[in-house]
Amino acid sequence: MIEVRNLTKRYGATTAVAGLDFRVEPGRVTGFLGPNGAGKSTTLRMVLGLDRPTAGEALVHGRPYAALEAPLRRVGALLDAHAVHGGRTARGHLRWLAASNGLPRRRIEEVLEQVGLAEAADRRIRGFSLGMRQRLGVAAALLGDPPVLLLDEPVNGLDPEGIRWIRTLLRGLAGEGRAVLVSSHLMAEMALTADHLVVVGRGRLLADLSTEAFLAQHGRARVRVRAVDPLKLADLLRTSGTAARPVEGGAWEVSGAAPEEIGALAARHGVALYELSLLQDSLEEAFMRMTADAVEYRAVAA
Amino acid sequence: MSAALALRAEWAKFTTLRSQWITPLLAVLLTTGITAAVQAAYGRVDTSLEDDPAGGIYYGLLFGHVAVVCSGVLLVGQEYASGTVRASLAAVPRRGRFYAGKLLLGTGVGLVVGLLSVAGTHLATAATVGLDLGQPGAGRSVVAGVLYHPLLLVICLGATAMLRNLTAAMGLLTPAVFLGTTFLTALPGVREAAYFLPDRAGLYAMNYRADPAVPYGHWTGLLVMALWAAAAAWGGLVSLQRHDA
């Protein structure tokens, strides 16, 4: 379990993380979402005690990370798959990690097997593909069989097969009752992986809710309607005071109403409809809209 | 117990990375090999009675200690160059403990290199020009020769922890030890101050005879070097605790 309370990090005049509050509960995958530069990695580094917060605190199992004895048995982390020495073999890398926390040697073989690197265990990491490095990073995180896992952008640069593997693995780990926090800037990916979402933008908390609730709240529903007589429909929508806007092909999009209401309204006034459908924003669109004000680096139209 | 684990982690890092254990090995081979070669070739013909025997015995050290410097720089610098330092500190989050592991390993590696190099150079000297360990200063020279290695290694390890950058540390320390102090002692104005540089002081402690130009005694030379090592080790710790990883 991870608790982040009023966590703040400032670098001079720049505020990377501004008073974050959230919890990562066991038994589910928590997606830590935000555009690039939102402060996700900084937050994770503070949770791991690598960066010192300007204010606030991050607790793991109720204590600061640095106070944990044998922390790899309590928390497994994948920060940057490239931050390994290329001259070591996969097994050599895991060997020093195991030694640092007094973990049994058999764990090295177990995690190598689990992530599918058993064959490559004695090859130097420098020759690994990004996918293999990510797998090694996951192996390192799993080494101490920890109840809490933190993974920073684990699907970055992976092929579809690798992405599916990570997704299945994370769901499985949460299914075993572990607390899994996984950061990403890919909303669609998180919709498939995460049970719960913590959304940040410019270091601020924008949302902390279940994936379903996020969709219901932010994936604004609209009704698309098209009639035999478009002018009659336009009149009807205008006089009934619904918020509607015309779209291409003579159709209208009505927001803030259910298809049932529109259908009944049309029937009462004798307007024959060709089409009546519910449109749900994708998670990606909801995310874009939500973080639109909080994106630090945006392409500016010339 | 956890400090022991930190040391075991450092030992595992050392043994799983070729450049880390080859460098100290190279130091032993360079020091011993060059001493042996020079003693065999010139020792008997070129040595007069007035010469300090330490000059011949430790001739190879002038080359070997560059590898000792590299070894100290690599122990810390490779963590920063590869980014492994974050994984290290996630595994051993108490920075003092992590750093103690590094220092202990560095000191140990330095001692082993010192013992092997001193044994090697003395054996090579005994086999070529002959060696009289009963001479005044010989015992001290052996002790100083052994201790010079861990002290130099710790100085470089600490300085690299202060710089937190492999390339900067390599670029600064290697020429400083190999060339810098030799040049400095040749300059009249700074000569006095240059005697207090760590490698000068440490090398002087190995000499059999006294040099009237040097403003301190042999044992004091070793102490001067030890003070440098303590300062560098402390500076590295402060830097590690102060900075975000």
Side-chain angles (χ1 to χ4, degrees):
Chain A
M1 226 256 304
I2 301 171
E3 270 179 282
V4 167
R5 292 189 197 142
N6 187 36
L7 197 64
T8 304
K9 181 71 178 180
R10 278 189 286 271
Y11 299 100
T14 315
T15 302
V17 177
L20 271 191
D21 281 286
F22 66 87
R23 293 158 72 92
V24 181
E25 304 282 355
R28 67 190 191 189
V29 177
T30 301
F32 191 32
L33 273 159
N36 289 330
K40 302 186 297 291
S41 298
T42 308
T43 302
L44 295 184
R45 285 202 304 274
M46 286 193 281
V47 171
L48 293 172
L50 296 172
D51 286 13
R52 199 170 288 128
T54 312
E57 59 181 353
L59 302 178
V60 187
H61 305 294
R63 298 158 75 190
Y65 184 86
L68 299 175
E69 284 295 330
L72 298 187
R73 292 179 189 270
R74 315 298 299 276
V75 184
L78 164 61
L79 283 188
D80 178 0
H82 289 287
V84 286
H85 199 288
R88 285 200 179 87
T89 63
R91 185 178 274 120
H93 179 66
L94 296 173
R95 189 173 291 160
W96 74 256
L97 277 169
S100 71
N101 276 237
L103 305 173
R105 282 233 172 166
R106 65 173 165 78
R107 280 300 295 160
I108 298 172
E109 307 311 317
E110 284 170 11
V111 293
L112 281 169
E113 198 68 50
Q114 192 175 355
V115 303
L117 280 180
E119 302 288 309
D122 292 315
R123 279 166 52 191
R124 287 186 202 285
I125 299 167
R126 125 169 7 107
F128 279 20
S129 67
L130 177 56
M132 290 169 81
R133 282 170 191 253
Q134 293 280 28
R135 284 170 189 267
L136 179 60
V138 171
L142 294 174
L143 195 59
D145 198 15
V148 174
L149 284 148
L150 298 179
L151 300 111
D152 197 8
E153 305 266 4
V155 301
N156 248 11
L158 288 189
D159 56 9
E161 194 265 330
I163 293 175
R164 203 163 53 241
W165 172 74
I166 288 264
R167 189 187 299 151
T168 313
L169 177 80
L170 296 182
R171 303 243 24 108
L173 292 167
E176 293 165 12
R178 298 176 214 255
V180 181
L181 179 66
V182 49
S183 84
S184 178
H185 63 277
L186 303 169
M187 201 73 195
E189 175 53 35
M190 283 300 99
L192 293 168
T193 312
D195 309 289
H196 195 87
L197 298 174
V198 172
V199 186
V200 291
R202 284 204 174 170
R204 291 182 189 286
L205 188 68
L206 300 177
D208 180 356
L209 73 192
S210 72
T211 310
E212 267 175 51
F214 181 88
L215 260 181
Q217 271 186 34
H218 299 278
R220 230 181 272 156
R222 301 183 311 283
V223 175
R224 178 182 163 90
V225 57
R226 198 155 58 92
V228 179
D229 185 346
L231 293 175
K232 217 170 161 185
L233 176 67
D235 264 352
L236 177 62
L237 290 170
R238 194 159 45 239
T239 52
S240 66
T242 46
R245 62 187 185 92
V247 290
E248 76 289 346
W252 290 75
E253 272 188 21
V254 186
S255 47
E260 292 85 348
E261 297 169 53
I262 304 298
L265 182 73
R268 272 203 306 278
H269 293 84
V271 177
L273 300 182
Y274 277 156
E275 184 186 349
L276 180 66
S277 56
L278 180 67
L279 303 176
Q280 188 98 34
D281 268 357
S282 74
L283 199 51
E284 206 71 47
E285 286 162 14
F287 174 60
M288 298 280 271
R289 203 165 47 238
M290 173 175 240
T291 58
D293 303 327
V295 175
E296 192 172 357
Y297 309 105
R298 194 171 5 191
V300 180
Chain B
M1 166 193 167
S2 303
L5 288 181
L7 177 60
R8 272 170 53 188
E10 291 309 320
W11 173 248
K13 284 180 196 171
F14 179 75
T15 51
T16 51
L17 199 52
R18 191 164 48 194
S19 54
Q20 297 236 336
W21 55 262
I22 275 201
T23 317
L25 192 65
L26 200 66
V28 175
L29 294 178
L30 273 173
T31 302
T32 311
I34 290 173
T35 291
V38 168
Q39 294 283 49
Y42 308 108
R44 227 184 283 273
V45 286
D46 211 31
T47 314
S48 63
L49 280 172
E50 298 85 59
D51 281 340
D52 195 315
I57 294 170
Y58 292 114
Y59 192 86
L61 182 59
L62 299 175
F63 302 86
H65 68 182
V66 178
V68 176
V69 170
C70 290
S71 179
V73 170
L74 287 178
L75 280 179
V76 170
Q78 280 186 330
E79 296 258 353
Y80 285 99
S82 65
T84 319
V85 64
R86 283 186 177 155
S88 294
L89 290 174
V92 185
R94 290 187 198 159
R95 298 189 178 190
R97 197 176 281 178
F98 162 72
Y99 190 62
K102 286 266 179 228
L103 274 181
L104 279 172
L105 180 77
T107 309
V109 168
L111 265 177
V112 171
V113 170
L115 284 166
L116 292 177
S117 296
V118 169
T121 53
H122 283 75
L123 284 174
T125 304
T128 48
V129 295
L131 184 67
D132 176 14
L133 282 178
Q135 276 190 70
R140 173 186 34 74
S141 177
V142 166
V143 172
V146 171
L147 293 182
Y148 178 86
H149 292 81
L151 289 174
L152 182 63
L153 205 147
V154 165
I155 287 169
C156 295
L157 192 155
T160 310
M162 280 192 267
L163 292 165
R164 307 189 311 134
N165 186 311
L166 174 67
T167 323
M170 212 55 112
L172 208 68
L173 292 167
T174 321
V177 167
F178 200 44
L179 302 168
T181 57
T182 316
F183 280 133
L184 287 177
T185 39
L187 296 174
V190 288
R191 185 179 295 153
E192 287 295 306
Y195 282 124
F196 288 93
L197 289 169
D199 60 320
R200 284 287 114 187
L203 289 171
Y204 181 62
M206 294 174 214
N207 285 354
Y208 281 49
R209 315 223 173 107
D211 179 351
V214 179
Y216 48 72
H218 290 113
W219 285 114
T220 314
L222 200 61
L223 181 69
V224 166
M225 192 180 189
L227 288 174
W228 277 97
W234 181 77
L237 177 65
V238 170
S239 169
L240 188 68
Q241 283 181 330
R242 188 170 295 169
H243 289 97
D244 285 342

